[in-house]
Amino acid sequence: MDQTRTEPPVLRTGVLGCSDIAWRRALPALVADPAVELVAVASRDEAKARRFAGHFGCEAVTGYRALVERADVDALYVPVPAALHEPWVETALRAGKHVLCEKPLTVDAVATRRLVELAAARGLVLLENFMFQFHAQHRAVRDLLDQGAIGELRSLSAVFTIPALHPDDIRYRPELGGGCLLDVGGYPIRTAQLFLGPELRVAGAVAVRDPGSGVDVAGAALLVSPEGVSAQLTYGMAHGYRSAYELAGSEGRIVLDRAYTPPADHRPVLRVETKGGTEEIVLPADDQWANLVRAFAAAVRGERHLDRYTEATLRHAVLTGEIQRAAAAGPR
């Protein structure tokens, strides 16, 4: 009997855009995965494309369309500014490419649903990159909840705030989809979805805008589940750094710091506080970027289904729009 094992095909991947997140996180993860081949990186700036390509050992391409049209590329990672996601993801899907797109997938719910339906109709994988969902620490939190460690869940609070950015940062440009809600705000929203389910409604929201650019630089939202469990979300990009969430129950609470951007060698600590005292549970280190790339490649091979992430993307887009409208309406 022939015991020879046929390895799955390597996922030939290109990158549309030379962003900071691509340089620091995404490209290292793509290069490190043996099931992925980084073929090329594209930029409208030839020098930038060459710098990225030289560092990561791939080909430099000038112009996004030239990369999309290449026959030797199966999938594309898209880290261009948020307002450009929709046209370039659509172009990639129509060219028959699987797509891993930086969050948010688009800047409105109608466009998000249209792209999801286009990918499904063409049998292509489309994944929005909220990479934190692929870290094992959140599964550990869910397990504690399911075990009744803090009784019945009563509320959730989540925060992701970062210091002010360089004045030239694209997140200060409204025409490119700037603002904190579409950037760091997505993480607390997705956390609420993760633990409170898909049927959240927006009870209220506020936004503080930068007087120069007009984008939101601070915000908060209150979401409520059908069972009456509340989620208090805080986000901003004019703050001290904070990345954490807390789940409060009838018998205690669970606190997780460094919730959204832990380094691959970080050992998470879950703090469980009850009337019996405080316990700190130290978890193994985990690499959410490696897990993300592995999941995407497995989905392309047909070995993993990402339906729950797709449903979360659709609902997330709706919630974001509702938060924007609630903040614009002001106090009632």
Side-chain angles (χ1 to χ4, degrees), residues 243-265:
S243 168
Y245 63 77
E246 174 184 316
L247 300 164
S250 58
E251 298 178 19
R253 65 176 186 153
I254 300 170
V255 180
L256 176 65
D257 287 316
R258 305 190 76 174
Y260 302 125
T261 58
D265 61 354

Side-chain angles (χ1 to χ4, degrees), residues 142-177:
R142 168 54 66 186
D143 289 344
L144 286 171
L145 285 177
D146 292 345
Q147 293 161 14
I150 57 170
E152 294 184 9
L153 186 60
R154 299 292 192 234
S155 67
L156 174 151
S157 61
V159 56
F160 195 9
T161 57
I162 61 175
L165 305 162
H166 189 278
D168 293 336
D169 194 284
I170 61 171
R171 283 166 286 187
Y172 291 123
R173 295 179 60 181
E175 74 276 14
L176 293 180

